[in-house]
Structure formats: structure tokens, C-alpha cells
């Protein structure tokens, strides 16, 4: 994963300088924290997240609770590792299922963020675990969107509920509601609702997504965000949080050469866990997100 290349290199270099020191003076800690701050900002991590992160690292590196069994550089690496896991959400959060099926999972996000592709990835993952997901095509905005979901469903080997052309087209809320009812009748234990995205955040899109949410009462609302959008990630995530609210995040396009800022900001800014990471265009290019593994990857 190329995403964290530069950030990783910068942090490694900072720690290498630190390793040459026997003892850490407060000035050494400050210098290190300054380097970390610059590296995070250059990686497009949101400023409030950077501030909180560096304050926590500084406080702990200067504090008494540092592990005396480790040398100074190791101590700082350990602290940075812990704090990275913290901003990435702490513990791994798994997908939540309904007590009484079907479990309803709604996807939201900007157009092009990777929602439709992720719908197929999720369906495929769930099928491997013995589930029988139904994809519901509620993106009636783009002429080709329903068709695109049909292609993805076929590739995933999943069932799909889509409006017939000219029948029900134009009311995505009704399609969502009917889709859930259909899943119940046909005994699909999971419903994945793909919703419309726009190129930018807009009120109409939010209202539609919010109405679909109210009509289907999903167990999970997953916000899909393209890791490549850098600094915009935070504002987009906040807009979706205010407009629809979501229970978890899917980071997509982590295979790209984004600088990693979105990944490192979004959980912390929204307080919502990252549940999946998407790493390619293929339907198998997805994995559950583990904050600790991601932190190790960055500090590798
Ligand atoms: P939607 O508009 O949100 O439904 O987005 P799509 O699922 O149509 O994806 C938009 C484009 O991004 C497509 O060309 C996908 O093949 C591509 N894409 C989706 N997920 C990933 C990913 O994880 N990595 C890469 N490299 N491309 C992706």
C-alpha cells in the first residue's frame, strides 16, 4: 500500500535521528514532535487532528509514565504507535448484524467514491461467510447507475433488486423500502442499499439519503470515502455526518498514492469507526480495517 509512503519515511527518519541520542531532553522531545507535526500536515492530516495528536505525544514523552525498559527512541515510537491506533479508532470494529434478519446496510458518499464497487465487494465477502445478501439499486440519479450495480451484482454472484425502467423510477425512497420488503419475502438475510452520490455535497442529496435512512432503519450506514480526496475528506465527512449520520466508514482507494490524510483524520473527526478498507478495483480488493495493523504499517 503506497498510501503512507512519504509519511512513513518521514517518521522513520525522525526516529533514526532520535536513536542516536542516549537521553531525551525536553528540547529533543519538542524537536521530534515538531517533525511529526510537519510530516502529518504534509500528509494532509486535518489540523485539529494533528494538534491533538502531537499534544498527546509530547505530554506522554515528557511524562513519568514512559517505559524505562525501552531506550528513548523506542519509547517515542511506542507512544506514537499508541496514539496512531487511537486516532484510527482504537479497537477493530466489526460489522453489526440485526438480531432479526434482514440486516440492512446503507451506503452513502460522494459520486465516484467507490460505493457501487464496495457494494459488490461487501456482497461477495458476506456470501463467503454464508450470507445471502440482496443489493438494492437506489441510485436513480445517474442513468447508468442501476446498470452498473447490476454488473457488479453479477460479478459478485449476488441477487439485486432494481426498479424496472419506467416503473418506480424517480423515487429512491420507495425502491429502498420495497427492496427491504422483497428481501424479507425472499429470505435474504442482508440488504445492501446503494444510494445516489453527487460530485459535491448538496442539500437534496442529503435529504434523499436521510429519507432512505428513515424509511429503512438500517443497522449500519456506511460512509464510503475516497482516500485520495485529501484535505476535503474532513469537510465531506462532517457534511455526511450532519446530513445523514453514519455508523461507520469505508476508506476506498487506499491503493492509490494519496498521502494518507483522509485515513488518519476521518475516524477522529467524526468519532465513527473505519470498518473496511478498499484497496483496488477488483471485488476481492477489500479488507476489514484494523487500527493496530494500519499503525504498524505506517511505522514500519
Ligand atoms: P460510486 O460512484 O461511489 O458508486 O463509485 P464507483 O464504485 O463507481 O467507483 C468509481 C471508480 O473508482 C470506478 O472506476 C471504480 O473502479 C474505482 N474504484 C472503486 N474502489 C476503488 C479502490 O478501492 N481502488 C481503486 N484504485 N479504484 C477504485
Amino acid at each position: 500500500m503506497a498510501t503512507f509512503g512519504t509519511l512513513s519515511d518521514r517518521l522513520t527518519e525522525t526516529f533514526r535521528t532520535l536513536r542516536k541520542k542516549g537521553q531525551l531532553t525536553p528540547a529533543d522531545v519538542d524537536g521530534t514532535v515538531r517533525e511529526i507535526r510537519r510530516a502529518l500536515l504534509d500528509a494532509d492530516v486535518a489540523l485539529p487532528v494533528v494538534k491533538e495528536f502531537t499534544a498527546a505525544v509530547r505530554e506522554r514523552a515528557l511524562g513519568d509514565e514512559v517505559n524505562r525498559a525501552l531506550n528513548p527512541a523506542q519509547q517515542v515510537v511506542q507512544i506514537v504507535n499508541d496514539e496512531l491506533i487511537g486516532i484510527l479508532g482504537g479497537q477493530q470494529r466489526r460489522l453489526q448484524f440485526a438480531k432479526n434478519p434482514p440486516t440492512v446496510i446503507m451506503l452513502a458518499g460522494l459520486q465516484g467514491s467507490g460505493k457501487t464497487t464496495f457494494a459488490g465487494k461487501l456482497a461477495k465477502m458476506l456470501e463467503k461467510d454464508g450470507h445471502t445478501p440482496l443489493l438494492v439499486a437506489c441510485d436513480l440519479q445517474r442513468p447508468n447507475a442501476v446498470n452498473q450495480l447490476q454488473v457488479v451484482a453479477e460479478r459478485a454472484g449476488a441477487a439485486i433488486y432494481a426498479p424496472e425502467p419506467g416503473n418506480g423510477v424517480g423515487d429512491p425512497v420507495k425502491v429502498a423500502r420495497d427492496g427491504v420488503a422483497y428481501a424479507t419475502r425472499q429470505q435474504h438475510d442482508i440488504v445492501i442499499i446503494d444510494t445516489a452520490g453527487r460530485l459535491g455535497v448538496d442539500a437534496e442529496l442529503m435529504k434523499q439519503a436521510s429519507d432512505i435512512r428513515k424509511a429503512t432503519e438500517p443497522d449500519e450506514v456506511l460512509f464510503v470515502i475516497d482516500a485520495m480526496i485529501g484535505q476535503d475528506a474532513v469537510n465531506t465527512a462532517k457534511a455526511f455526518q450532519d446530513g445523514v449520520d453514519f455508523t461507520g466508514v469505508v476508506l476506498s482507494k487506499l491503493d492509490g498514492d494519496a498521502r494518507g490524510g483522509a485515513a488518519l483524520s476521518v475516524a477522529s473527526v467524526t468519532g465513527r469507526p473505519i470498518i473496511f478498507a478498499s484497496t483496488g478495483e477488483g471485488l476481492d480488493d477489500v479488507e476489514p480495517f484494523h487500527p493496530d495493523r494500519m499503525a504498524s504499517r505506517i511505522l514500519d
Side-chain angles (χ1 to χ4, degrees):
M1 211 179 283
T3 314
F4 295 103
T6 313
L7 178 61
S8 270
D9 292 350
R10 296 266 300 267
L11 292 177
T12 308
E13 185 54 37
T14 304
F15 298 142
R16 190 176 357 229
T17 314
L18 212 56
R19 280 207 181 83
K20 295 184 188 129
K21 308 200 183 253
Q23 284 298 317
L24 284 194
T25 65
D28 293 329
V29 171
D30 281 338
T32 303
V33 167
R34 253 196 317 275
E35 287 297 316
I36 294 173
R37 178 187 160 86
R38 273 193 217 118
L40 291 172
L41 287 173
D42 288 347
D44 275 346
V45 181
L47 185 59
V49 179
V50 175
K51 280 190 175 156
E52 202 178 312
F53 184 85
T54 47
V57 170
R58 185 172 184 280
E59 188 181 325
R60 288 185 55 194
L62 292 173
D64 295 332
E65 33 119 21
V66 290
N67 185 345
R68 301 287 168 209
L70 299 173
N71 70 34
Q74 282 170 335
Q75 287 172 22
V76 175
V77 176
Q78 183 66 53
I79 292 168
V80 171
N81 183 62
D82 292 350
E83 293 297 327
L84 271 179
I85 294 173
I87 64 168
L88 289 167
Q91 294 275 348
Q92 184 203 359
R93 158 74 150 77
R94 289 169 200 278
L95 202 61
Q96 283 172 353
F97 295 97
K99 282 201 193 77
N100 299 314
T103 295
V104 178
I105 303 169
M106 171 180 163
L107 308 181
L110 293 181
Q111 185 179 316
S113 59
K115 272 188 310 299
T116 305
T117 311
F118 177 73
K121 292 175 175 181
L122 183 59
K124 199 165 173 198
M125 258 188 299
L126 291 167
E127 280 174 338
K128 275 189 196 146
D129 290 341
H131 295 286
T132 52
L134 174 75
L135 294 169
V136 178
C138 292
D139 181 353
L140 310 182
Q141 219 69 37
R142 268 190 312 133
N144 201 30
V146 171
N147 186 253
Q148 198 191 338
L149 191 69
Q150 268 159 345
V151 171
V152 162
E154 199 167 311
R155 274 168 62 204
I160 180 167
Y161 180 87
E164 296 293 327
N167 178 13
V169 172
D171 188 359
V173 180
K174 181 175 183 323
V175 174
R177 205 186 285 120
D178 291 351
V180 175
Y182 176 84
T184 309
R185 282 200 306 277
Q186 298 291 319
Q187 301 194 339
H188 289 281
D189 66 343
I190 297 183
V191 183
I192 301 170
I193 301 176
D194 190 23
T195 64
R198 302 284 154 81
L199 289 174
V201 170
D202 77 38
E204 202 190 323
L205 159 75
M206 288 304 171
K207 166 106 176 49
Q208 185 184 97
S210 170
D211 287 348
I212 292 176
R213 179 177 189 155
K214 281 185 206 133
T216 58
E217 297 180 351
D219 301 283
E220 295 274 18
V221 179
L222 301 183
F223 168 58
V224 182
I225 185 155
D226 177 346
M228 308 281 283
I229 71 172
Q231 285 287 356
D232 281 347
V234 165
N235 289 336
T236 308
K238 277 190 187 153
F240 273 87
Q241 193 175 25
D242 291 346
V244 197
D245 202 5
F246 47 85
T247 57
V249 177
V250 177
L251 277 177
S252 72
K253 310 194 192 179
L254 266 185
D255 52 311
D257 58 0
R259 291 182 282 185
L264 284 168
S265 306
V266 85
S268 179
V269 165
T270 63
R272 298 288 182 269
I274 302 169
I275 305 183
F276 295 104
S278 249
T279 54
E281 296 189 80
L283 289 191
D284 292 317
D285 300 330
V286 65
E287 54 196 60
F289 186 82
H290 297 271
D292 54 344
R293 288 188 205 163
M294 182 61 96
S296 321
R297 220 176 268 181
I298 295 169
L299 296 180
D300 224 4

